[in-house]
Amino acid sequence: MKHDEQKRAVAREALRYVVDDTWLGVGTGSTANFFIDELAKVKQRIKGAVASSVATAERLKAHGIVVEELNNVSDLPVYVDGADEVTSHGAMIKGGGGALTREKIVAAVARKFVCIADASKKVDVLGKFPLPVEVIPMARSYVARELVRLGGFPAWRMGFTTDNGNVILDVSGLSIVAPFVLEDRINGIAGVVTVGLFARRGADVILLGGEAGVETIRVDPGGRRQVGNDGRHRA
Ligand code: 5RP
């Protein structure tokens, strides 16, 4: 299967996790777009969707799916979204599409995160894909210097502004063997809005599209809390 066919296959599979008569969190990106197109075929099953970006909200609305503000939704059983990299422990790099902050907020509210991706996104150690960091514009240079101190090589995503009016630094050169620690460390830099490292709130279920079909990985929540993506236990 080609990548697009794999993305469509996981998008279809993700429909199994949609809970009838509830609100559904919907992510951003090309895989999420396949999911939205599949969701449109069964839209009567749900109350509507909470979108993780303006682009996703527009696509949902174009399909006639009701879009509700997160502030008006107290219970979100499921969030479906893609990833740029994902480990078998459910830790992810996200934000290739620049929607990382809203994605992290919707994921935080959701009770279950279903990650949909083609098999090329599965890695043993995160960091080959440059790690996106959303930054308040006036802090860009300062945050970049701090990221260099952490061993990274930040690049300003020129000409791109997030839905929140901020800029993105894409950080290459990191081998992320302790994702929890790095997530907290980068989030602690003044001026950082969000790091696109989803370790503390990782995926609960990973649907990977490969040559042979869709592989389902159910992440053990205990394991996610205790194990780094190198398999070493963390305090
Ligand atoms: C957007 C994201 C996406 O989920 C991620 O970039 C994957 O996108 P795609 O499905 O197009 O590969 O985090 O901010």
Side-chain angles (χ1 to χ4, degrees):
M1 280 201 281
K2 298 213 170 70
H3 279 183
D4 276 2
E5 289 164 19
Q6 294 172 0
K7 289 177 183 182
R8 192 182 301 281
V10 291
R12 280 204 195 106
E13 183 68 16
L15 290 179
R16 290 168 173 269
Y17 295 85
V18 172
V19 180
D20 287 1
D21 301 317
T22 66
W23 296 102
L24 174 69
V26 181
T28 300
S30 59
T31 318
N33 282 346
F34 279 111
F35 175 69
I36 294 168
D37 297 347
E38 293 299 319
L39 182 66
K41 298 172 189 168
V42 297
K43 62 186 176 193
Q44 67 287 348
R45 282 180 54 194
I46 57 169
K47 285 183 181 169
V50 172
S52 67
S53 65
V54 172
T56 287
E58 283 171 0
R59 195 175 185 100
L60 287 162
K61 285 179 195 165
H63 278 301
I65 297 170
V66 174
V67 176
E68 186 54 275
E69 273 192 39
L70 182 63
N71 284 321
N72 297 331
V73 173
S74 55
D75 186 39
L76 201 57
V78 174
Y79 176 55
V80 179
D81 197 0
D84 299 301
E85 285 185 347
V86 59
T87 71
S88 58
H89 299 292
M92 294 169 282
I93 286 183
K94 292 184 45 55
L100 59 161
T101 298
R102 294 186 186 202
E103 290 173 343
K104 205 172 254 198
I105 295 167
V106 181
V109 174
R111 284 188 271 133
K112 183 179 283 180
F113 190 136
V114 178
C115 173
I116 51 175
D118 62 81
S120 69
K121 306 291 185 67
K122 169 109 177 323
V123 298
D124 292 329
V125 177
L126 298 169
K128 197 166 175 199
F129 188 93
L131 178 65
V133 182
E134 181 166 350
V135 176
I136 300 287
M138 69 169 285
R140 193 190 75 239
S141 298
Y142 166 69
V143 172
R145 289 193 295 275
E146 290 297 299
L147 292 168
V148 169
R149 275 159 47 96
L150 292 177
F153 300 95
W156 178 15
R157 200 181 292 183
M158 300 281 281
F160 183 86
T161 304
T162 70
D163 287 348
N164 315 306
N166 298 313
V167 298
I168 300 255
L169 297 173
D170 291 303
V171 190
S172 54
L174 296 171
S175 176
I176 305 171
V177 294
F180 277 56
V181 175
L182 191 66
E183 183 174 6
D184 291 348
R185 177 72 184 81
I186 295 178
N187 275 336
I189 300 171
V192 167
V193 179
T194 319
V195 60
L197 198 45
F198 286 56
R200 292 212 168 268
R201 202 302 170 241
D204 299 296
V205 178
I206 306 162
L207 303 177
L208 286 177
E211 290 294 330
V214 177
E215 180 192 2
T216 300
I217 300 172
R218 288 176 212 286
V219 178
D220 167 21
R224 186 170 68 224
R225 274 193 292 276
Q226 290 162 20
V227 185
N229 65 10
D230 58 348
R232 276 186 267 158
H233 286 259
R234 306 290 166 199

PDB file of all heavy atoms in Angstrom, residues 7 27-32 81-84 93-100 103 116 118 121 129, ligand 1:
ATOM      1  N   LYS A   7      -2.801   5.712   5.048  1.00  0.00           N
ATOM      2  CA  LYS A   7      -3.465   6.734   5.869  1.00  0.00           C
ATOM      3  C   LYS A   7      -4.979   6.562   5.814  1.00  0.00           C
ATOM      4  O   LYS A   7      -5.667   6.684   6.820  1.00  0.00           O
ATOM      5  CB  LYS A   7      -3.074   8.137   5.370  1.00  0.00           C
ATOM      6  CG  LYS A   7      -1.631   8.504   5.679  1.00  0.00           C
ATOM      7  CD  LYS A   7      -1.271   9.867   5.103  1.00  0.00           C
ATOM      8  CE  LYS A   7       0.197  10.191   5.345  1.00  0.00           C
ATOM      9  NZ  LYS A   7       0.575  11.513   4.849  1.00  0.00           N
ATOM     10  N   GLY A  27      -7.935  15.902  15.067  1.00  0.00           N
ATOM     11  CA  GLY A  27      -6.615  16.497  14.889  1.00  0.00           C
ATOM     12  C   GLY A  27      -6.411  17.151  13.536  1.00  0.00           C
ATOM     13  O   GLY A  27      -7.359  17.397  12.786  1.00  0.00           O
ATOM     14  N   THR A  28      -5.136  17.383  13.251  1.00  0.00           N
ATOM     15  CA  THR A  28      -4.753  18.193  12.088  1.00  0.00           C
ATOM     16  C   THR A  28      -3.698  17.462  11.260  1.00  0.00           C
ATOM     17  O   THR A  28      -2.840  16.769  11.823  1.00  0.00           O
ATOM     18  CB  THR A  28      -4.188  19.544  12.574  1.00  0.00           C
ATOM     19  OG1 THR A  28      -5.204  20.211  13.328  1.00  0.00           O
ATOM     20  CG2 THR A  28      -3.772  20.435  11.415  1.00  0.00           C
ATOM     21  N   GLY A  29      -3.749  17.664   9.949  1.00  0.00           N
ATOM     22  CA  GLY A  29      -2.728  17.075   9.070  1.00  0.00           C
ATOM     23  C   GLY A  29      -3.357  16.207   8.003  1.00  0.00           C
ATOM     24  O   GLY A  29      -4.591  16.045   7.951  1.00  0.00           O
ATOM     25  N   SER A  30      -2.507  15.626   7.162  1.00  0.00           N
ATOM     26  CA  SER A  30      -3.037  14.865   6.026  1.00  0.00           C
ATOM     27  C   SER A  30      -3.745  13.590   6.477  1.00  0.00           C
ATOM     28  O   SER A  30      -4.776  13.207   5.902  1.00  0.00           O
ATOM     29  CB  SER A  30      -1.905  14.538   5.048  1.00  0.00           C
ATOM     30  OG  SER A  30      -0.891  13.795   5.683  1.00  0.00           O
ATOM     31  N   THR A  31      -3.235  12.923   7.515  1.00  0.00           N
ATOM     32  CA  THR A  31      -3.888  11.694   7.990  1.00  0.00           C
ATOM     33  C   THR A  31      -5.214  12.047   8.662  1.00  0.00           C
ATOM     34  O   THR A  31      -6.227  11.362   8.453  1.00  0.00           O
ATOM     35  CB  THR A  31      -2.961  10.932   8.969  1.00  0.00           C
ATOM     36  OG1 THR A  31      -1.626  10.963   8.464  1.00  0.00           O
ATOM     37  CG2 THR A  31      -3.404   9.490   9.121  1.00  0.00           C
ATOM     38  N   ALA A  32      -5.205  13.113   9.452  1.00  0.00           N
ATOM     39  CA  ALA A  32      -6.454  13.572  10.069  1.00  0.00           C
ATOM     40  C   ALA A  32      -7.467  13.965   8.995  1.00  0.00           C
ATOM     41  O   ALA A  32      -8.669  13.739   9.158  1.00  0.00           O
ATOM     42  CB  ALA A  32      -6.169  14.744  11.003  1.00  0.00           C
ATOM     43  N   ASP A  81      -5.881  11.764  16.042  1.00  0.00           N
ATOM     44  CA  ASP A  81      -4.921  12.677  15.402  1.00  0.00           C
ATOM     45  C   ASP A  81      -3.726  11.889  14.866  1.00  0.00           C
ATOM     46  O   ASP A  81      -3.474  10.755  15.290  1.00  0.00           O
ATOM     47  CB  ASP A  81      -4.453  13.731  16.414  1.00  0.00           C
ATOM     48  CG  ASP A  81      -3.803  14.949  15.747  1.00  0.00           C
ATOM     49  OD1 ASP A  81      -3.703  14.981  14.504  1.00  0.00           O
ATOM     50  OD2 ASP A  81      -3.386  15.859  16.475  1.00  0.00           O
ATOM     51  N   GLY A  82      -2.983  12.508  13.980  1.00  0.00           N
ATOM     52  CA  GLY A  82      -1.777  11.914  13.414  1.00  0.00           C
ATOM     53  C   GLY A  82      -0.552  12.225  14.263  1.00  0.00           C
ATOM     54  O   GLY A  82      -0.656  12.771  15.369  1.00  0.00           O
ATOM     55  N   ALA A  83       0.614  11.866  13.749  1.00  0.00           N
ATOM     56  CA  ALA A  83       1.883  12.151  14.443  1.00  0.00           C
ATOM     57  C   ALA A  83       2.997  12.205  13.407  1.00  0.00           C
ATOM     58  O   ALA A  83       2.890  11.613  12.326  1.00  0.00           O
ATOM     59  CB  ALA A  83       2.177  11.074  15.476  1.00  0.00           C
ATOM     60  N   ASP A  84       4.043  12.909  13.754  1.00  0.00           N
ATOM     61  CA  ASP A  84       5.225  12.937  12.893  1.00  0.00           C
ATOM     62  C   ASP A  84       6.164  11.783  13.229  1.00  0.00           C
ATOM     63  O   ASP A  84       6.847  11.260  12.352  1.00  0.00           O
ATOM     64  CB  ASP A  84       5.925  14.288  13.036  1.00  0.00           C
ATOM     65  CG  ASP A  84       5.010  15.424  12.604  1.00  0.00           C
ATOM     66  OD1 ASP A  84       4.574  15.403  11.437  1.00  0.00           O
ATOM     67  OD2 ASP A  84       4.697  16.294  13.438  1.00  0.00           O
ATOM     68  N   ILE A  93       6.240  12.885  18.513  1.00  0.00           N
ATOM     69  CA  ILE A  93       6.546  14.240  18.058  1.00  0.00           C
ATOM     70  C   ILE A  93       5.387  14.652  17.168  1.00  0.00           C
ATOM     71  O   ILE A  93       4.973  13.900  16.274  1.00  0.00           O
ATOM     72  CB  ILE A  93       7.876  14.307  17.272  1.00  0.00           C
ATOM     73  CG1 ILE A  93       9.060  14.181  18.229  1.00  0.00           C
ATOM     74  CG2 ILE A  93       7.965  15.625  16.487  1.00  0.00           C
ATOM     75  CD1 ILE A  93      10.414  14.308  17.570  1.00  0.00           C
ATOM     76  N   LYS A  94       4.826  15.841  17.466  1.00  0.00           N
ATOM     77  CA  LYS A  94       3.744  16.386  16.667  1.00  0.00           C
ATOM     78  C   LYS A  94       4.021  17.853  16.382  1.00  0.00           C
ATOM     79  O   LYS A  94       4.850  18.467  17.028  1.00  0.00           O
ATOM     80  CB  LYS A  94       2.407  16.246  17.406  1.00  0.00           C
ATOM     81  CG  LYS A  94       1.964  14.787  17.527  1.00  0.00           C
ATOM     82  CD  LYS A  94       0.594  14.620  18.170  1.00  0.00           C
ATOM     83  CE  LYS A  94      -0.457  15.534  17.670  1.00  0.00           C
ATOM     84  NZ  LYS A  94      -0.660  15.503  16.222  1.00  0.00           N
ATOM     85  N   GLY A  95       3.292  18.394  15.420  1.00  0.00           N
ATOM     86  CA  GLY A  95       3.445  19.811  15.134  1.00  0.00           C
ATOM     87  C   GLY A  95       4.050  20.105  13.786  1.00  0.00           C
ATOM     88  O   GLY A  95       4.312  21.261  13.463  1.00  0.00           O
ATOM     89  N   GLY A  96       4.245  19.044  12.980  1.00  0.00           N
ATOM     90  CA  GLY A  96       4.739  19.271  11.617  1.00  0.00           C
ATOM     91  C   GLY A  96       3.818  20.229  10.866  1.00  0.00           C
ATOM     92  O   GLY A  96       4.262  21.022  10.034  1.00  0.00           O
ATOM     93  N   GLY A  97       2.527  20.166  11.199  1.00  0.00           N
ATOM     94  CA  GLY A  97       1.552  21.066  10.575  1.00  0.00           C
ATOM     95  C   GLY A  97       1.360  22.356  11.353  1.00  0.00           C
ATOM     96  O   GLY A  97       0.547  23.197  10.967  1.00  0.00           O
ATOM     97  N   GLY A  98       2.066  22.474  12.470  1.00  0.00           N
ATOM     98  CA  GLY A  98       2.047  23.725  13.238  1.00  0.00           C
ATOM     99  C   GLY A  98       0.886  23.868  14.215  1.00  0.00           C
ATOM    100  O   GLY A  98       0.716  24.923  14.820  1.00  0.00           O
ATOM    101  N   ALA A  99       0.116  22.795  14.411  1.00  0.00           N
ATOM    102  CA  ALA A  99      -1.086  22.903  15.269  1.00  0.00           C
ATOM    103  C   ALA A  99      -0.840  22.335  16.670  1.00  0.00           C
ATOM    104  O   ALA A  99      -1.782  22.032  17.385  1.00  0.00           O
ATOM    105  CB  ALA A  99      -2.254  22.191  14.604  1.00  0.00           C
ATOM    106  N   LEU A 100       0.425  22.215  17.061  1.00  0.00           N
ATOM    107  CA  LEU A 100       0.764  21.454  18.274  1.00  0.00           C
ATOM    108  C   LEU A 100       0.087  21.939  19.541  1.00  0.00           C
ATOM    109  O   LEU A 100      -0.318  21.137  20.379  1.00  0.00           O
ATOM    110  CB  LEU A 100       2.280  21.402  18.463  1.00  0.00           C
ATOM    111  CG  LEU A 100       3.056  22.711  18.607  1.00  0.00           C
ATOM    112  CD1 LEU A 100       4.405  22.433  19.244  1.00  0.00           C
ATOM    113  CD2 LEU A 100       3.288  23.363  17.253  1.00  0.00           C
ATOM    114  N   GLU A 103      -3.557  21.030  19.557  1.00  0.00           N
ATOM    115  CA  GLU A 103      -3.606  19.565  19.616  1.00  0.00           C
ATOM    116  C   GLU A 103      -3.341  19.090  21.043  1.00  0.00           C
ATOM    117  O   GLU A 103      -4.002  18.176  21.547  1.00  0.00           O
ATOM    118  CB  GLU A 103      -2.554  18.967  18.674  1.00  0.00           C
ATOM    119  CG  GLU A 103      -2.900  19.172  17.213  1.00  0.00           C
ATOM    120  CD  GLU A 103      -1.808  18.759  16.242  1.00  0.00           C
ATOM    121  OE1 GLU A 103      -0.646  18.613  16.670  1.00  0.00           O
ATOM    122  OE2 GLU A 103      -2.114  18.589  15.062  1.00  0.00           O
ATOM    123  N   ILE A 116      -3.220   7.971  14.587  1.00  0.00           N
ATOM    124  CA  ILE A 116      -3.323   7.307  13.281  1.00  0.00           C
ATOM    125  C   ILE A 116      -2.138   7.751  12.413  1.00  0.00           C
ATOM    126  O   ILE A 116      -1.864   8.938  12.291  1.00  0.00           O
ATOM    127  CB  ILE A 116      -4.674   7.608  12.584  1.00  0.00           C
ATOM    128  CG1 ILE A 116      -4.968   9.115  12.532  1.00  0.00           C
ATOM    129  CG2 ILE A 116      -5.812   6.876  13.281  1.00  0.00           C
ATOM    130  CD1 ILE A 116      -6.241   9.477  11.744  1.00  0.00           C
ATOM    131  N   ASP A 118       0.870   6.307   9.102  1.00  0.00           N
ATOM    132  CA  ASP A 118       1.431   5.234   8.296  1.00  0.00           C
ATOM    133  C   ASP A 118       2.668   4.703   9.014  1.00  0.00           C
ATOM    134  O   ASP A 118       3.242   5.373   9.886  1.00  0.00           O
ATOM    135  CB  ASP A 118       1.758   5.715   6.872  1.00  0.00           C
ATOM    136  CG  ASP A 118       2.799   6.801   6.869  1.00  0.00           C
ATOM    137  OD1 ASP A 118       3.994   6.471   6.957  1.00  0.00           O
ATOM    138  OD2 ASP A 118       2.422   7.996   6.804  1.00  0.00           O
ATOM    139  N   LYS A 121       6.066   6.314  10.379  1.00  0.00           N
ATOM    140  CA  LYS A 121       6.146   7.234  11.525  1.00  0.00           C
ATOM    141  C   LYS A 121       6.621   6.539  12.803  1.00  0.00           C
ATOM    142  O   LYS A 121       6.939   7.202  13.786  1.00  0.00           O
ATOM    143  CB  LYS A 121       4.772   7.875  11.787  1.00  0.00           C
ATOM    144  CG  LYS A 121       4.139   8.568  10.602  1.00  0.00           C
ATOM    145  CD  LYS A 121       4.874   9.817  10.222  1.00  0.00           C
ATOM    146  CE  LYS A 121       4.209  10.614   9.119  1.00  0.00           C
ATOM    147  NZ  LYS A 121       2.939  11.208   9.444  1.00  0.00           N
ATOM    148  N   PHE A 129      12.834  13.431  13.250  1.00  0.00           N
ATOM    149  CA  PHE A 129      11.965  14.510  12.749  1.00  0.00           C
ATOM    150  C   PHE A 129      12.228  15.735  13.623  1.00  0.00           C
ATOM    151  O   PHE A 129      12.176  15.648  14.854  1.00  0.00           O
ATOM    152  CB  PHE A 129      10.498  14.095  12.836  1.00  0.00           C
ATOM    153  CG  PHE A 129       9.559  15.073  12.177  1.00  0.00           C
ATOM    154  CD1 PHE A 129       9.170  14.900  10.852  1.00  0.00           C
ATOM    155  CD2 PHE A 129       9.083  16.180  12.866  1.00  0.00           C
ATOM    156  CE1 PHE A 129       8.318  15.805  10.237  1.00  0.00           C
ATOM    157  CE2 PHE A 129       8.230  17.091  12.257  1.00  0.00           C
ATOM    158  CZ  PHE A 129       7.850  16.898  10.934  1.00  0.00           C
TER     159      PHE A 129
HETATM  160  C1  5RP B   1       0.024  18.774  12.914  1.00  0.00           C
HETATM  161  C2  5RP B   1       0.440  17.441  13.415  1.00  0.00           C
HETATM  162  C3  5RP B   1       0.177  16.269  12.557  1.00  0.00           C
HETATM  163  O1  5RP B   1      -0.540  15.330  13.273  1.00  0.00           O
HETATM  164  C4  5RP B   1       1.462  15.676  12.110  1.00  0.00           C
HETATM  165  O2  5RP B   1       2.235  16.693  11.502  1.00  0.00           O
HETATM  166  C5  5RP B   1       1.252  14.529  11.130  1.00  0.00           C
HETATM  167  O3  5RP B   1       0.754  15.036   9.926  1.00  0.00           O
HETATM  168  P1  5RP B   1       0.500  14.096   8.677  1.00  0.00           P
HETATM  169  O4  5RP B   1      -0.674  13.236   9.029  1.00  0.00           O
HETATM  170  O5  5RP B   1       0.197  15.074   7.565  1.00  0.00           O
HETATM  171  O6  5RP B   1       1.741  13.311   8.414  1.00  0.00           O
HETATM  172  O7  5RP B   1       0.966  17.293  14.482  1.00  0.00           O
HETATM  173  O8  5RP B   1       0.419  19.793  13.777  1.00  0.00           O
END
